Amino acid sequence: MRPFSYERATDAAGAAKAAAEHPNAKFIAGGTNLLDLMKLEIEHPAHLIDIGRLPLAAIEDTADGGLRIGAMVTNSRLAADERVRARYPVLVQAIVAGGSGQLRNKATTGGNLLQRTRCAYFYDTTKPCNKRLPGSGCSALEGLNRNSAILGASQACIATHPSDMAVALSILDAQVEVVSDNSRTIPLEDLHRLPGDTPHIETSLSAGELITAVVLPPPPSGGQVYRKVRDRASYAAGLASVAVAGGRMAFGAVAHKPWRAHLAEAVLAGGGSPSEAIAAELAPARSNGRNQFKIDLLHRLVPVAVETARSQGRGA
């Protein structure tokens, strides 16, 4: 056990201040990801700031017909909220697809967005990993890379982002509220970074910044669908997923971040078919040998999801 200090935050601003003042500080809420990483000697926080009792667990209507979701709202409560189920079914479907009931009962909205990759080499401290130890190399490039990225990857990292919820939030044009010395709002699409040469820098958050809420605009018109494929129905990471809503599309489990499919959206908006749309989006996709099937899988998964959403939008 590595030693660390601990404090329980009493307000969001105080938590952000404490994180900025303590080198290598980490926030802890549900702990479903961080505690595992600490036990495996992957995360080594010197100071833990417990935000579990902060008043950030409300789901509130906004004046324009959207919702403001507190960062401490659990995944289970969010998926069960009647307003979310009525207005944003794609978000409910993504959350339910994302983990077991036990995990959803503890996992929080803010924590879900910031969970780290499930790449096997990231979890294996005997193998090089640029996310875990910058400059050490990427074992997945020549290793077991069946679950690795096909879009936006680099020679430094081909890991994927594990969140299903974030994929749905991407097509809902969610905004992320952050508190620090200078509080700000970040588009969800800009929260996560592609790996480039610095895969260990995973988000656009600065030291000491704390997510306090996610804000959803009014829901888009038309049907909403989330489809996910994995090796088995539970306790298995996703191989690929797609979220569709209101002419918008995003993919999960295929990139270092939730992948908003802007090229595909443009093709659909111009009257192209779903098959033409996915072909355009996947034109720059690259496999690493064992994950070629992900490209083929999306070619089949996306048209079905688009047509299902369209049928729902027509009331079929």
Side-chain angles (χ1 to χ4, degrees):
M1 172 66 72
R2 293 175 181 261
F4 58 87
S5 52
Y6 168 90
E7 69 174 283
R8 177 173 291 163
T10 57
D11 60 81
K17 184 174 183 292
E21 293 175 347
H22 289 83
N24 195 21
K26 292 285 184 180
F27 299 116
I28 184 168
T32 58
N33 192 206
L34 178 60
L35 292 179
D36 282 345
L37 295 176
M38 290 174 66
K39 293 173 184 177
L40 293 170
E41 294 285 311
I42 296 168
E43 290 275 14
H44 311 113
H47 186 66
L48 284 183
I49 303 164
D50 188 344
I51 59 172
R53 299 191 182 184
L54 295 185
L56 302 174
I59 304 175
E60 304 167 302
D61 289 289
T62 60
D64 63 355
L67 287 177
R68 183 179 184 273
I69 303 161
M72 287 301 304
V73 174
T74 65
N75 287 180
S76 289
R77 181 165 170 242
L78 184 58
D81 187 275
E82 291 184 3
R83 294 162 294 179
V84 179
R85 297 176 73 85
R87 301 179 208 172
Y88 310 100
V90 67
L91 179 56
V92 176
Q93 294 167 26
I95 291 172
V96 172
S100 67
Q102 296 94 326
L103 285 174
R104 295 196 299 269
N105 288 341
K106 290 294 292 182
T108 62
T109 298
N112 187 296
L113 294 177
L114 300 180
Q115 62 184 301
R116 307 197 69 184
T117 184
R118 298 297 188 267
C119 176
Y121 295 106
F122 174 71
Y123 275 81
D124 185 350
T125 56
T126 68
K127 300 293 193 299
C129 172
N130 286 320
K131 288 178 77 65
R132 186 168 19 83
L133 183 62
S136 63
C138 176
S139 297
L141 287 173
E142 302 297 332
L144 300 174
N145 51 36
R146 179 172 180 268
N147 290 329
S148 61
I150 57 173
L151 292 165
S154 72
Q155 287 299 107
C157 183
I158 56 174
T160 59
H161 194 271
S163 175
D164 291 275
M165 186 186 79
V167 180
L169 291 175
S170 174
I171 61 166
L172 295 173
D173 288 340
Q175 300 281 319
V176 180
E177 293 184 353
V178 176
V179 66
S180 64
D181 289 340
N182 296 300
S183 299
R184 60 184 177 129
T185 300
I186 309 169
L188 188 282
E189 191 174 358
D190 295 336
L191 176 64
H192 303 98
R193 294 164 46 111
L194 291 177
D197 295 326
T198 56
H200 60 291
I201 304 175
E202 298 175 343
T203 73
S204 58
L205 297 177
S206 301
E209 289 192 310
L210 172 67
I211 294 176
T212 54
V214 173
V215 180
L216 295 177
S221 59
Q224 300 180 22
V225 171
Y226 189 78
R227 292 290 183 267
K228 178 180 181 178
V229 176
R230 47 187 170 176
D231 287 322
R232 56 184 185 273
S234 63
Y235 297 101
L239 300 174
S241 65
V242 58
V244 179
R248 307 169 194 162
M249 188 186 308
F251 306 147
V254 295
H256 203 255
K257 60 182 287 185
W259 188 267
R260 182 71 181 265
H262 290 292
L263 288 174
E265 292 175 0
V267 172
L268 290 176
S273 69
S275 295
E276 291 169 333
I278 187 58
E281 192 66 45
L282 293 182
R286 296 292 180 269
S287 72
N288 294 286
R290 302 189 184 199
N291 64 345
Q292 170 66 36
F293 76 95
K294 287 193 175 189
I295 298 175
D296 302 328
L297 180 59
L298 281 177
H299 273 288
R300 292 164 172 77
L301 186 62
V302 167
V304 174
V306 171
E307 291 300 339
T308 301
R310 286 175 172 175
S311 294
Q312 292 179 358
R314 292 191 295 266

